[in-house]
Amino acid sequence: MPLTTYWLEHAWLGVNVEPGVALTVSIGGSAAGTSDGRIEAVRTGVEAPPPGAVVLRGLTIPGLANAHSHAFHRALRGTVQVGSGTFWTWREVMYAVAQRLTPDSYFALARAVYAEMALAGITSVGEFHYLHHAPGGSPYADPNAMGEALIAAAGEAGIRITLLDTAYLSSGFGAAPEQHQLRFTDGTAEQWAQRVSALKDRDGVRIGAAIHSVRAVPADQLSTVARWAEDRQAPLHVHLSEQTAENEACLAAHGMTPTRLLAEHGVLGARTTGVHNTHLTDEDITLLGSSTTGTCMCPTTERDLADGIGPAVALQRAGSPLSLGSDSHAVIDLLEEARAMELDERLRTRTRGHWTAAALLRAATADGHAALGWADAGTLEQGALADFTTIALDSVRTAGPVPRLAAETAVFAATAADVHHVVVGGRTIVEDGAHASVPDVGEALATAIAALRS
């Protein structure tokens, strides 16, 4: 593979910010930029750019990992901010959008959404995908047409994708799916496994599994999904205790919390990530931590839907690794997700400093990639995937602090608008704030979303 040298004015190397870092990277073979170009060498203390090096001014960090996404929810932005309501009324609006999508329109929307993620410095996404079939529930000629549309969209946007193909079988603890959920269901977990087994890992793509929630997958079928993921050593994600109503219904149906139910059926473990983990008992926290089940916090969605603030500090102390996601895409900004986790905890406890900037960046990078099955991403180290993001330190938001505080500046002041360069697999996908293959991301989003209204 050809080699390129990048000179980083400042780089976050996992603990501290270092000035003058030279990265030698191999360039992946895919034009989409998602193949496995890697960091071949890291040199610190390089005071000036080597001859021929690509110069990246600002702070360079590993690429950000968006560990929880529903791409079609991007079409709800603004619309669901009118008036009041609850998670459950929001869900009815979401269902209406879901009914209008086809493989072609989903590709167009997801391509624009993933390009928006790239502009925000995100280099891999975990797509929690349950919109499988045509309206009414009939399979497409290719039963995985919708999933393949998402994979193709990520490839064109230049980012990696872990397609977390989701089992969604019930409207609630054994009840048949409602009309608007027929697109989501395969009937049984065995039929889900048969369909999803046709999807394959490939360049820039990992296939994982998801249990939508304990209300959407009957208890006696949870182990089928868990076993599928175990056999393939694939990531397994699950919405967990996002709503108190889910906990109450689970207690009524099974006499135990959702976390205990998952534990009883072999779902918890190091490759499993619970998304939200908001309303947990002390025993739940112990079960998740002792099994090293991960926690994906989605603060901008959790606050938008008035879900509550999850016990992230207690979960991490118990042994649950933390990752971050933009979920419903009320905003797409992993720096905001990182600081929101800390700031929400400050509001809840009225104390400051629960995580350092470095710890929050690890949740947004290395731990997020690991949760998506990309254990070789998320660090600026020799042998790691050459995925990295550069944040301006001279914008109106970031100018002023001394360079050694660049990590704190990035986490607590910068936004997605401050990202100006993104590399995936050694290939540049964002340069000077512009996307390499989607020239006008705003127009692409507007066109794709308008098509769903017509």
Side-chain angles (χ1 to χ4, degrees):
M1 289 185 181
L3 300 178
T4 297
T5 297
Y6 290 86
W7 183 77
L8 316 180
E9 184 181 28
H10 304 285
W12 179 70
L13 299 183
V15 178
N16 299 316
V17 173
E18 297 282 348
V21 176
L23 296 184
T24 302
V25 308
S26 56
I27 301 174
S30 167
T34 53
S35 58
D36 65 347
R38 293 184 180 270
I39 297 173
E40 303 295 332
V42 180
R43 290 185 293 143
T44 58
V46 182
E47 295 183 359
V54 177
V55 176
L56 298 182
R57 300 284 178 185
L59 173 68
T60 298
I61 63 175
L64 299 168
N66 189 351
H68 189 66
S69 162
H70 301 291
F72 76 92
H73 289 189
R74 175 60 178 82
L76 303 173
R77 188 183 294 177
T79 302
V80 292
Q81 311 305 328
V82 178
S84 59
T86 66
F87 168 87
W88 307 103
T89 55
W90 169 91
R91 192 174 70 156
E92 294 304 314
V93 180
M94 178 271 287
Y95 283 152
V97 172
Q99 288 302 306
R100 301 189 189 109
L101 286 161
T102 67
D104 287 343
S105 63
Y106 206 5
F107 166 80
L109 176 60
R111 175 178 177 267
V113 174
Y114 296 151
E116 182 182 359
M117 290 186 194
L119 291 178
I122 292 164
T123 58
S124 67
V125 60
E127 184 61 39
F128 199 102
H129 167 56
Y130 54 83
L131 188 53
H132 303 306
H133 306 300
S138 297
Y140 290 103
D142 174 1
N144 288 304
M146 295 294 266
E148 291 290 357
L150 292 165
I151 289 169
E156 290 216 3
I159 68 173
R160 304 182 192 277
I161 184 170
T162 298
L163 188 73
L164 297 161
D165 195 288
T166 304
Y168 195 129
L169 310 173
S170 168
S171 63
F173 296 99
E178 298 174 3
Q179 180 63 34
H180 44 243
Q181 296 166 333
L182 294 175
R183 298 196 74 173
F184 309 161
T185 183
D186 292 292
T188 69
E190 289 290 349
Q191 290 169 312
W192 167 84
Q194 183 177 4
R195 178 185 56 75
V196 74
S197 292
L199 291 163
K200 304 298 181 186
D201 289 358
R202 65 201 81 163
D203 183 30
V205 178
R206 297 282 183 271
I207 306 300
I211 293 163
H212 179 272
S213 56
V214 295
R215 68 177 186 272
V217 177
D220 61 0
Q221 299 186 61
L222 292 169
S223 61
T224 300
V225 183
R227 188 165 54 250
W228 187 94
E230 175 66 26
D231 289 347
R232 290 158 181 78
Q233 294 293 289
L236 174 61
H237 289 216
V238 54
H239 290 133
L240 181 57
S241 290
E242 181 179 5
Q243 296 290 322
T244 54
E246 175 184 291
N247 290 356
E248 292 161 1
C250 189
L251 285 165
H254 298 291
M256 62 184 74
T257 66
T259 301
R260 169 56 72 181
L261 186 67
L262 294 175
E264 293 287 328
H265 290 275
V267 176
L268 304 185
R271 285 179 298 95
T272 300
T273 297
V275 180
H276 304 302
N277 294 0
T278 307
H279 302 285
L280 302 177
T281 66
D282 290 344
E283 183 197 36
D284 292 340
I285 292 169
T286 298
L287 285 169
L288 293 167
S290 62
S291 62
T292 64
T293 299
T295 294
C296 179
M297 302 294 291
C298 306
T300 65
T301 291
E302 290 150 4
R303 71 191 185 196
D304 181 54
L305 297 179
D307 286 344
I309 300 169
V313 171
L315 282 161
Q316 188 171 53
R317 286 176 178 165
S320 178
L322 299 180
S323 56
L324 297 164
S326 63
D327 193 359
S328 69
H329 312 313
V331 297
I332 294 177
D333 188 338
L334 261 289
L335 298 172
E336 172 63 17
E337 303 293 347
R339 71 170 151 267
M341 187 164 68
E342 165 67 25
L343 298 181
D344 285 355
E345 190 68 16
R346 292 182 186 184
L347 286 173
R348 191 178 69 82
T349 63
R350 292 184 291 172
T351 60
R352 305 176 74 225
H354 303 278
W355 292 278
T356 64
L360 294 169
L361 283 176
R362 279 195 295 276
T365 56
D367 289 346
H369 289 290
L372 298 178
W374 301 99
D376 49 355
T379 61
L380 299 181
E381 298 176 353
Q382 184 177 11
L385 289 167
D387 300 356
F388 46 92
T389 292
T390 303
I391 299 165
L393 294 177
D394 58 357
S395 77
V396 293
R397 289 164 294 278
T398 60
V402 296
R404 67 180 176 81
L405 298 178
E408 286 76 8
T409 304
V411 171
F412 290 103
T415 73
D418 296 309
V419 171
H420 65 83
H421 204 95
V422 181
V423 172
V424 180
R427 290 182 176 273
T428 297
I429 62 167
V430 173
E431 185 172 11
D432 295 330
H435 197 283
S437 59
V438 186
D440 190 336
V441 177
E443 175 61 27
L445 285 162
T447 300
I449 293 169
L452 298 178
R453 301 194 190 105
S454 61

